[in-house]
Amino acid sequence: MSAESVSENQKTFTLTNNNTGDSVELPVLEGTCGPPVIDVRKLYEQTGHFTFDPSFTATGSCKSRLTFIDGEKGILMHRGYTIEELAENSSFMEVAYLLLNGDLPNQAEFTKFERDITYHTMVHEQINYFYRGFRRDAHPMAIMCGVVGALSAFYHDSLDIWDPRQREISAHRLIAKIPTLAAMTYKYTVGQPFMYPRNDLNFPENFLYMCFGLPPEPYQVNPVLTNAMDKILILHADHEQNASTSTVRLAGSSQANPFACIASGIASLWGPSHGGANQAVLEMLDEIGDKKNIPEFIERAKNKDDPFRLMGFGHRVYKNFDPRAGVLKKACDEVLDDLGINDPRLELAMELERIALEDDYFVERKLFPNVDFYSGIILKAMGFPVSMFTVLFAVARTVGWVSQWKEMIEEPSLRIGRPRQLYTGPAQRPYVPMDKRK
Ligand code: CMC
């Protein structure tokens, strides 16, 4: 079978079966930006064929109005605003409102939204006891998978996904409580008391306070760290239909409750190919250890027989500089400057970046540094242990997951997601009794 394109203004795509000569006209749909898509929903009905795209390299799984990425040009936009503009001018709370509601808030809307989030930051007191079931040395993401999933056992009054008000409350609860749970997770793993949220602090200030505040001492807000944290949150807020977001959507398509769906997103984010990469970058820099070892690691990354990859490089969608990486690089310098940290890892990272960007292997494959390359260095400088990095990603991405989930539930044509497959197992065969098996 071969595909034959028809002219763009006909808005159809002709697919011809070379064996039978049969053709089908498939509708071509166009979004606001980005390449057109061929609508294959009727393909099986019309031809008896499925499409095959196991890693979804050419498949659009949904319509969405939230985020647009042009990977060739290195563009990322939320609801039409570029990430650079948002990072420069807005706050994480504003971006959260934008993603959730479609437009930037006016002052009154913003004040109300910030208040709604602030007044949902406390978690049910019984959740404190839930933590005690975990080993102190558990990976923070393991704890997060458990406690976020458990939220649906605590907030029964917002589980009806068909009630818009309950959807709104659970969205606010998730955005507000995940930082509290993340901070509690950190405190639990270091053996310090949980810090209750403070309503007089803004979102990033409160989060840093819950992580680094201690009951016997007054907490001093550091504006440079708050600003860097806010930027990190903005830059990770949403990223179109990546693995964890698609996981949330797929889980949500079965009409599962939002807390359970977000827990599934956290599980998917954990892997080193996705959110776990920021932890892997730091571990890799420690493993490289010294500038003189960089060529050896570059060679290993290029060797197909070696599973080693340069963590923090490459992206499924970006075939150009990750626009988030540029913003973070600047924030990274500010934090290190303010804290007076002269982290040799940063120097190592810069040298690695320089060498990789000149190397033919990386140039030909368009492997540029991604957001995780810099976020780990900033988070480390702020005092977060490496194992918390992916948790911080989850705190930010909750906004995207919740917004995408809400968009999907509000879509009238919602149906359960159900991919098909290319079966390659044995064809039908008779059952052989055990005493007759070889
Ligand atoms: N180091 C060495 N080679 C690489 C790397 C890397 N980091 N990334 C891709 N390649 C090579 C890969 O071997 C392949 O080469 P060839 O064509 O010769 O077989 C080519 O580049 C294309 O790579 P791919 O594996 O087909 O690309 P993918 O879209 O399946 O994977 C990725 C994307 C992000 C998983 C991958 O680039 C990677 O593993 N990077 C390191 C992990 C990382 O930094 N992940 C964070 C991504 S950004 C945050 C997020 O979205 O969560």
Side-chain angles (χ1 to χ4, degrees):
M1 185 172 269
S2 75
E4 180 190 311
S5 168
V6 292
S7 66
E8 193 70 340
N9 55 9
Q10 289 176 341
K11 306 264 186 340
T12 60
F13 200 94
T14 307
L15 199 61
T16 307
N17 184 333
N18 288 340
N19 301 319
T20 61
D22 293 342
S23 287
V24 280
E25 291 274 304
L26 297 167
V28 171
L29 310 177
E30 282 178 279
T32 329
C33 312
V37 301
I38 303 164
D39 181 349
V40 294
R41 280 176 291 183
K42 294 251 160 58
L43 188 72
Y44 180 63
E45 203 180 298
Q46 290 175 348
T47 69
H49 289 71
F50 291 138
T51 54
F52 184 63
D53 186 17
S55 311
F56 305 119
T57 46
T59 297
S61 60
C62 61
K63 280 187 193 167
S64 181
R65 295 178 300 278
L66 269 77
T67 294
F68 173 74
I69 302 175
D70 184 329
E72 301 298 326
K73 297 194 182 125
I75 293 171
L76 166 62
M77 296 192 299
H78 295 316
R79 305 270 193 193
Y81 300 100
T82 66
I83 193 67
E84 290 89 347
E85 251 200 299
L86 290 172
E88 182 67 31
N89 303 309
S90 75
S91 65
F92 178 62
M93 274 298 92
E94 253 195 278
V95 172
Y97 184 96
L98 173 71
L99 284 167
L100 207 52
N101 299 301
D103 278 311
L104 286 169
N106 62 29
Q107 188 58 57
E109 289 163 338
F110 183 69
T111 307
K112 179 175 182 314
F113 180 68
E114 207 177 23
R115 193 177 184 287
D116 285 344
I117 298 299
T118 302
Y119 282 86
H120 275 300
T121 47
M122 227 159 66
V123 291
H124 193 291
E125 192 61 13
Q126 218 173 321
I127 291 180
N128 295 356
Y129 305 111
F130 197 78
Y131 274 81
R132 294 187 192 161
F134 290 102
R135 285 173 56 141
R136 292 256 177 209
D137 62 355
H139 193 288
M141 283 298 275
I143 300 180
M144 288 299 283
C145 287
V147 291
V148 175
L151 289 179
S152 48
F154 288 89
Y155 299 104
H156 299 143
D157 58 345
S158 62
L159 295 184
D160 179 358
I161 62 165
W162 304 120
D163 176 348
R165 178 66 186 136
Q166 291 198 33
R167 279 203 299 275
E168 187 180 32
I169 294 175
S170 49
H172 291 168
R173 280 182 168 151
L174 278 157
I175 295 169
K177 291 184 200 304
I178 286 192
T180 310
L181 295 176
M184 287 168 77
T185 298
Y186 170 61
K187 289 297 198 189
Y188 184 76
T189 58
V190 292
Q192 290 178 5
F194 295 145
M195 301 296 283
Y196 285 99
R198 268 178 51 185
N199 290 353
D200 60 321
L201 299 177
N202 68 27
F203 191 93
E205 285 169 352
N206 179 50
F207 179 55
L208 290 173
Y209 161 75
M210 289 190 294
C211 289
F212 298 119
L214 289 168
E217 286 175 19
Y219 179 75
Q220 212 61 48
V221 170
N222 177 329
V224 175
L225 297 196
T226 306
N227 178 42
M229 178 49 71
D230 207 47
K231 288 232 176 353
I232 289 178
L233 294 172
I234 293 174
L235 296 175
H236 289 83
D238 192 47
H239 212 226
E240 210 223 53
Q241 307 309 321
N242 53 79
S244 57
T245 303
S246 299
T247 304
V248 169
R249 277 188 179 259
L250 197 53
S253 76
S254 76
Q255 303 176 20
N257 76 71
F259 301 105
C261 296
I262 301 308
S264 75
I266 292 179
S268 169
L269 185 74
W270 192 356
S273 294
H274 192 6
N278 51 13
Q279 170 171 349
V281 169
L282 259 271
E283 287 165 354
M284 175 191 75
L285 292 175
D286 283 341
E287 199 188 343
I288 296 175
D290 194 281
K291 278 198 231 173
K292 71 173 178 356
N293 301 328
I294 292 177
E296 175 198 331
F297 280 86
I298 297 261
E299 282 319 303
R300 281 187 60 193
K302 289 159 40 171
N303 181 355
K304 295 286 165 222
D305 298 326
D306 189 328
F308 176 79
R309 280 190 162 196
L310 225 45
M311 300 316 284
F313 278 78
H315 199 275
R316 168 61 60 83
V317 181
Y318 292 122
K319 302 301 167 201
N320 200 323
F321 213 84
D322 178 343
R324 302 167 301 170
V327 179
L328 262 198
K329 193 174 172 179
K330 194 163 158 261
C332 190
D333 289 343
E334 283 168 15
V335 169
L336 296 177
D337 244 22
D338 182 72
L339 298 177
I341 291 178
N342 195 1
D343 191 339
R345 267 176 299 214
L346 186 65
E347 231 183 287
L348 194 59
M350 297 306 125
E351 185 63 4
L352 187 64
E353 180 194 22
R354 191 187 64 75
I355 295 179
L357 290 179
E358 285 171 2
D359 190 291
D360 282 352
Y361 173 93
F362 290 87
V363 173
E364 277 161 19
R365 289 169 182 75
K366 300 186 175 166
L367 299 171
F368 291 90
N370 57 49
V371 70
D372 291 317
F373 190 67
Y374 300 102
S375 64
I377 295 166
I378 306 190
L379 295 173
K380 184 86 184 130
M382 284 179 169
F384 285 105
V386 171
S387 60
M388 274 296 289
F389 292 0
T390 314
V391 173
L392 293 158
F393 195 153
V395 168
R397 187 55 58 86
T398 296
V399 162
W401 292 330
V402 166
S403 307
Q404 300 261 359
W405 169 82
K406 183 171 166 282
E407 181 182 64
M408 181 187 72
I409 297 295
E410 288 169 0
E411 182 70 51
S413 60
L414 171 69
R415 287 178 80 193
I416 188 167
R418 177 60 168 89
R420 303 307 300 254
Q421 63 170 10
L422 177 65
Y423 176 70
T424 56
Q428 187 177 353
R429 50 184 172 163
Y431 179 81
V432 182
M434 204 174 288
D435 60 349
K436 300 260 168 19
R437 291 177 211 156
K438 288 187 210 146

